C-alpha cells in the first residue's frame, strides 16, 4: 500500500519522464524528433520499476548520509565517468546516475555522454523544461562548486568569525555543502544557517533563488555593479547576508522580484542581454555580518515617480531609490519620512503599501520593489503636506524599514480579526493579501473592522467589497463615528461590548475558540491604546495581539 501511495505521489512527474525519454531516445539533438530509436530495456527496468526502486529506501547516491550536502568540484566530478560510477551535473546539481543507467530509455551510452561533466548545455539544447530533479531526486549528491578560488571558510562564514583549526581527519571527510555552514547570531548566540541558493534559466532569462526560511520576512536590497556583477543583501534574524554574484554573461537591470513570504523563497529574474543557454550561472560569494544600528539608521534618498489621488484628502505616492538600488520592504514594517521645514527636521512614520493599489487590490506576479506610501493630508500636518504636495521628480528622504512585527507570530494561526482606523489600514493591505494567499496553512477566516468618520473617508471601499465577494473567507465591516443620514451600516466607536459581539460572531458556526484568534490593530494612538487595553481586559494573551506602532 505504501508503495502504491508513493507511486501515486510521483505520477505527476511521469509526463516529465516521458519528455526526457523523447530526448534520449534519439540520442540528443542529432536525432531530435526520431522516436523510433528506442533502446530495449531489460525486464524489470520499466518506469514503474524505477519509481519502486526509488521508494525502496536503497541509497542510490552512493554517498550515504552526506547525500544532498556535498560540494563537488569539476575535478571531483570528472573522476566519476564510468558506467560503474557515473555522476553528471545539470544546472549546478550533481546526480549519481549509476543506478539509473539500465532504466534509461535511450540506453546507458546516451546518458554516459554527460558522465563526469556538466551536462547542462547538452540537456538544455533539447528539453530545458523537463523536471529532471523529480526524475533523479533519489540520486542527488550535491551542488557543483564551479570555482575553487573561494574557499568555504572565506565565502560562507562571517568575515569576523575566527577560523577553527581543521580536525585531524579533515582530509578524509567530505566537504560540507556551502549552505550547511553557519554563523553565530550576535544577539542570541545561536547558529544561523546561511540562505540556500539555487538557479534556473530559460533562453532569455535567468532566475536566482535564495531560501531564507519560512516566515523569515527578509529585507531585500539589490544593486548593480556592472553588467555581470550584482550585490544582493538579505536581512533577517538580526543578520545581514551579503551575496555577490558574477554572472557568466551580461544581464539587464533592474531585475524583477518574487518573494514567497510563507516559504522564504526569494526569486530575482534577470533578462539576459543575449539569448542563450549558459553552462552555469557564474560565481556566488557570500558573507554575513550582524545587523548594527548604523545599518538601521541609514537614510535613503528617493525620487517620486508616481502619484494618485485616492479620495478628498488621501494620495498614493510611489518612490524609487536614487542610488539605483532596489528594495523589498518586509511585511508589516514601516519607514520614517524626514522633512526639513523652516530649519527644523520633522519625522513621521508610514507603512508602505503594495503598488497594486495603483491599479487593483490583488496579488501581482512580482513583488513591489518601489516604496509606495498612502498619505492622508491634515491641515496642520507638516510632513503629510510635504508628501501630499510632492511632484514627480521630487526628492524624499526616508529611513530603512523599522518595526516589531514578527511574521512568525502568525505562522500557526488560521483565523484573524483586523482592526484599523483611518490610515491605520496601511499595514493591513499587504498582510491581508499574504494571509489569503497562504498555501501551507491556509487562512480560514479573516475579518476586517474598518473605523472611519464619514462614508467619504472609507479608503478603497469598492476594492474591499470586491475582494469580499470573490473570497468568502474575507469579511469587511465598516464602522462610522459621524455617519450621514443615508448610512445603514455600523456606527460608533471601539468598545468592550462591540469587541465581545464581534468575537462571538466570528467564532459562530466554527470549531475555533477565543484562544485561536489572532488580532492586529493599527490606527491613531488613542485608538490603538484603547483597543490594546480592551484585549487585556478580555484576558487575551499577548501572543494573540499585535499592535502596529510608528
Amino acid at each position: 500500500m505504501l508503495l502504491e501511495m508513493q507511486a501515486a505521489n510521483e505520477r505527476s512527474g511521469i509526463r516529465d519522464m516521458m519528455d526526457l525519454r523523447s530526448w534520449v531516445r534519439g540520442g540528443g539533438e542529432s536525432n531530435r524528433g526520431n522516436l523510433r530509436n528506442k533502446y530495449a530495456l531489460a525486464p524489470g527496468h520499466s518506469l514503474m520499476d524505477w519509481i519502486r526502486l526509488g521508494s525502496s529506501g536503497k541509497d542510490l547516491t552512493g554517498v550515504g548520509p552526506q547525500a544532498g550536502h556535498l560540494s563537488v568540484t569539476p575535478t571531483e566530478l570528472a573522476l566519476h565517468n564510468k558506467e560503474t560510477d557515473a555522476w553528471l551535473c545539470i544546472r549546478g546539481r550533481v546526480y549519481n546516475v549509476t543506478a539509473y543507467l539500465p532504466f534509461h530509455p535511450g540506453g546507458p551510452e546516451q546518458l554516459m555522454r554527460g558522465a563526469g561533466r556538466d551536462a547542462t548545455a547538452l540537456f538544455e539544447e533539447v528539453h530545458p523544461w523537463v523536471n529532471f530533479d523529480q526524475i533523479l531526486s533519489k540520486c542527488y549528491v550535491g551542488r557543483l562548486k564551479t570555482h575553487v578560488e573561494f574557499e568555504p571558510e572565506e565565502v560562507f562564514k562571517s568575515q569576523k568569525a575566527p577560523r577553527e583549526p581543521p580536525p585531524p581527519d579533515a582530509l578524509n571527510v567530505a566537504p560540507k555543502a556551502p549552505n550547511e555552514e553557519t554563523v553565530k547570531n550576535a544577539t542570541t548566540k545561536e547558529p544561523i544557517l546561511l540562505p540556500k541558493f539555487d538557479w534556473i534559466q530559460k533562453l532569455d532569462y535567468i532566475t536566482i533563488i535564495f531560501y531564507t526560511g519560512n516566515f523569515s520576512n527578509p529585507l531585500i536590497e539589490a544593486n548593480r555593479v556592472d553588467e555581470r556583477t550584482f550585490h544582493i543583501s538579505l536581512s533577517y534574524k538580526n543578520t545581514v547576508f551579503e551575496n555577490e554574484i558574477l554572472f557568466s554573461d551580461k544581464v539587464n537591470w533592474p531585475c524583477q522580484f518574487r518573494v514567497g513570504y510563507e516559504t522564504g523563497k526569494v526569486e530575482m529574474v534577470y533578462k539576459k542581454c543575449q539569448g542563450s543557454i549558459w553552462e552555469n550561472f557564474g560565481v556566488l560569494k557570500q558573507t554575513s555580518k550582524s545587523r548594527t544600528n548604523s545599518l538601521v539608521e541609514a537614510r535613503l534618498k528617493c525620487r517620486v515617480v508616481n502619484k494618485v489621488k485616492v479620495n478628498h484628502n488621501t494620495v498614493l505616492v510611489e518612490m524609487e531609490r536614487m542610488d539605483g538600488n532596489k528594495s523589498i520592504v518586509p511585511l508589516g514594517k514601516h519607514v520614517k519620512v524626514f522633512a526639513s521645514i523652516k530649519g527644523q527636521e520633522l519625522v513621521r512614520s508610514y507603512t508602505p503599501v503594495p503598488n497594486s493599489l495603483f491599479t487593483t487590490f490583488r496579488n501581482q506576479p512580482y513583488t513591489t520593489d518601489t516604496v509606495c506610501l498612502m498619505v492622508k493630508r491634515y491641515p496642520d500636518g507638516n510632513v503629510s503636506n510635504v508628501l501630499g504636495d510632492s511632484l514627480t521628480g521630487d526628492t524624499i528622504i526616508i529611513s530603512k524599514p523599522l518595526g516589531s512585527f514578527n511574521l512568525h507570530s502568525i505562522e500557526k494561526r488560521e483565523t484573524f480579526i483586523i482592526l484599523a482606523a483611518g490610515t491605520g489600514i496601511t499595514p493591513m493591505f499587504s498582510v491581508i493579501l499574504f494571509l489569503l494567499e497562504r498555501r501551507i496553512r491556509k487562512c480560514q477566516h479573516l475579518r476586517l473592522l474598518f473605523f472611519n468618520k464619514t462614508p467619504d473617508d472609507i479608503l478603497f471601499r469598492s476594492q474591499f467589497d470586491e475582494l469580499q465577494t470573490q473570497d468568502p473567507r474575507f469579511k469587511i465591516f465598516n464602522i462610522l463615528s459621524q455617519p450621514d443620514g443615508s448610512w445603514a451600516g455600523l456606527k460608533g466607536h471601539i468598545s468592550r461590548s462591540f469587541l465581545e459581539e464581534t468575537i462571538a460572531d466570528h467564532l459562530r458556526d466554527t470549531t475555533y475558540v477565543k484562544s485561536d484568534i489572532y488580532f492586529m490593530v493599527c490606527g491613531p494612538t488613542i485608538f490603538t491604546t484603547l483597543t490594546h487595553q480592551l484585549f487585556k481586559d478580555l484576558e487575551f494573551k499577548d501572543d494573540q495581539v499585535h499592535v502596529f506602532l510608528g
Side-chain angles (χ1 to χ4, degrees):
M1 177 61 72
L2 290 176
L3 193 60
E4 293 175 356
M5 291 176 65
Q6 177 68 26
N9 288 335
E10 300 196 19
R11 281 181 190 131
S12 60
I14 292 177
R15 185 173 291 105
D16 286 335
M17 298 180 79
M18 298 301 290
D19 287 338
L20 184 62
R21 287 178 174 180
S22 67
W23 168 52
V24 296
R25 282 173 185 166
E29 186 177 16
S30 61
N31 292 311
R32 185 182 299 178
N34 182 2
L35 304 182
R36 298 177 180 235
N37 299 330
K38 183 175 179 180
Y39 180 82
L41 295 174
H45 290 80
S46 68
L47 170 61
M48 290 307 299
D49 291 320
W50 173 247
I51 294 175
R52 291 189 183 96
L53 178 61
S55 305
S56 66
K58 182 179 180 180
D59 177 22
L60 302 183
T61 66
V63 297
Q66 299 176 93
H69 301 303
L70 292 182
S71 182
V72 183
T73 66
T75 301
E76 292 169 327
L77 178 62
L79 298 175
H80 303 274
N81 62 352
K82 305 177 182 63
E83 287 198 17
T84 55
D85 180 21
W87 291 14
L88 59 76
C89 173
I90 302 177
R91 297 181 188 169
R93 299 172 68 83
V94 178
Y95 302 90
N96 183 347
V97 296
T98 309
Y100 184 61
L101 289 174
F103 293 85
H104 194 254
E109 68 278 2
Q110 295 299 336
L111 204 57
M112 287 300 297
R113 294 172 62 198
R117 66 189 184 95
D118 189 336
T120 302
L122 180 65
F123 176 80
E124 298 280 11
E125 285 177 1
V126 183
H127 284 296
W129 60 86
V130 170
N131 189 349
F132 62 89
D133 189 51
Q134 187 164 13
I135 301 167
L136 301 175
S137 61
K138 302 297 184 180
C139 306
Y140 179 51
V141 172
R143 296 205 61 84
L144 180 67
K145 182 180 177 183
T146 56
H147 293 264
V148 297
E149 61 265 33
F150 296 131
E151 292 300 322
E153 291 84 359
E154 297 174 358
V155 181
F156 296 103
K157 285 189 177 179
S158 170
Q159 292 176 327
K160 297 182 180 180
R163 185 177 300 182
E164 298 180 359
D169 59 344
L171 296 178
N172 298 321
V173 179
K176 287 185 179 181
N179 298 126
E180 291 299 314
E181 300 285 356
T182 62
V183 295
K184 292 287 186 179
N185 183 305
T187 303
T188 65
K189 305 300 182 182
E190 295 178 356
I192 296 179
L193 288 174
L194 288 159
K196 294 184 178 181
F197 171 78
D198 204 350
W199 63 284
I200 56 176
Q201 68 170 321
K202 294 183 179 180
L203 186 66
D204 295 320
Y205 293 89
I206 182 165
T207 302
I208 297 300
I209 305 170
F210 293 95
Y211 297 92
T212 62
N214 294 352
F215 292 82
S216 59
N217 198 20
L219 164 64
I220 305 164
E221 297 178 277
N223 72 287
R224 171 186 181 274
V225 179
D226 55 44
E227 291 176 306
R228 292 180 57 199
T229 310
F230 296 83
H231 288 158
I232 298 110
S233 174
L234 304 169
S235 302
Y236 58 98
K237 292 184 178 179
N238 293 316
T239 306
V240 180
F241 301 98
E242 301 288 359
N243 305 274
E244 179 180 290
I245 293 181
L246 174 63
F247 282 117
S248 292
D249 205 343
K250 296 177 181 179
V251 297
N252 290 293
W253 177 257
C255 64
Q256 293 179 300
F257 296 84
R258 283 193 293 260
V259 182
Y261 291 100
E262 188 174 19
T263 61
K265 182 179 181 180
V266 177
E267 299 177 84
M268 282 157 281
V269 184
Y270 293 85
K271 190 177 191 310
K272 298 175 181 177
C273 290
Q274 292 185 345
S276 63
I277 295 299
W278 300 352
E279 289 192 3
N280 208 294
F281 76 94
V283 180
L284 169 67
K285 183 176 181 179
Q286 292 181 302
T287 58
S288 65
K289 57 186 175 184
S290 297
R291 193 164 181 254
T292 62
N293 288 336
S294 61
L295 293 173
V296 175
E297 295 169 359
R299 298 191 180 189
L300 309 173
K301 285 186 177 181
C302 294
R303 180 188 299 107
V304 176
V305 294
N306 195 8
K307 182 180 172 184
V308 172
K309 183 177 180 180
V310 178
N311 68 358
H312 63 96
N313 63 1
T314 305
V315 296
L316 284 173
V317 179
E318 183 175 18
M319 302 176 288
E320 65 179 10
R321 291 176 57 163
M322 295 178 68
D323 58 9
N325 295 1
K326 291 294 183 180
S327 299
I328 304 294
V329 178
L331 291 181
K333 303 292 185 178
H334 64 270
V335 299
K336 291 181 178 180
V337 176
F338 303 91
S340 181
I341 300 175
K342 297 180 180 181
Q344 181 181 5
E345 183 179 72
L346 301 175
V347 183
R348 185 166 180 193
S349 297
Y350 293 89
T351 304
V353 299
N355 64 3
S356 62
L357 287 177
F358 282 88
T359 52
T360 180
F361 182 45
R362 292 289 182 275
N363 273 307
Q364 302 295 311
Y366 297 102
T367 306
T368 301
D369 61 4
T370 52
V371 179
C372 303
L373 305 180
M374 189 166 69
V375 181
K376 182 177 180 179
R377 297 188 59 169
Y378 297 91
D380 57 349
N382 292 314
V383 178
S384 66
N385 285 332
V386 168
L387 286 170
D389 293 337
S390 64
L391 302 173
T392 301
D394 284 355
T395 300
I396 305 293
I397 309 297
I398 68 171
S399 71
K400 287 199 173 184
L402 305 163
S404 61
F405 181 62
N406 185 350
L407 204 60
H408 280 289
S409 63
I410 63 177
E411 182 175 2
K412 297 181 180 180
R413 301 287 182 175
E414 298 178 347
T415 185
F416 302 86
I417 295 179
I418 293 175
L419 300 95
T423 52
I425 192 66
T426 53
M428 309 308 182
F429 285 113
S430 296
V431 170
I432 289 171
L433 290 180
F434 164 70
L435 291 177
L436 296 178
E437 188 71 13
R438 284 180 63 175
R439 291 290 181 267
I440 299 174
R441 188 163 189 162
K442 295 189 68 173
C443 167
Q444 301 298 327
H445 306 283
L446 174 56
R447 178 178 297 236
L448 170 61
L449 308 179
F450 195 9
F451 294 82
N452 287 283
K453 289 183 179 180
T454 70
D456 291 338
D457 293 322
I458 303 175
L459 300 167
F460 295 95
R461 183 176 179 181
S462 61
Q463 287 90 333
F464 278 126
D465 287 342
E466 183 180 356
L467 180 61
Q468 179 176 232
T469 300
Q470 294 183 353
D471 195 324
R473 296 174 298 166
F474 175 71
K475 294 182 180 180
I476 181 170
F477 298 86
N478 290 300
I479 306 100
L480 300 183
S481 60
Q482 299 175 14
D484 56 24
S486 64
W487 180 254
L490 297 172
K491 307 172 187 178
H493 300 83
I494 187 68
S495 66
R496 176 169 180 153
S497 60
F498 183 88
L499 264 183
E500 288 177 327
E501 292 174 7
T502 295
I503 293 167
D505 186 54
H506 186 74
L507 295 174
R508 190 173 291 115
D509 299 326
T510 74
T511 59
Y512 295 102
V513 296
K514 285 176 58 177
S515 59
D516 294 323
I517 307 174
Y518 192 86
F519 300 89
M520 285 174 271
V521 184
C522 189
T525 302
I526 189 171
F527 173 83
T528 55
T529 302
L530 174 59
T531 306
H532 197 198
Q533 184 58 50
L534 290 173
F535 284 124
K536 290 183 178 180
D537 295 342
L538 293 170
E539 299 182 347
F540 282 97
K541 297 180 180 179
D542 289 341
D543 63 2
Q544 285 185 258
V545 183
H546 180 80
V547 177
F548 290 92
L549 298 172

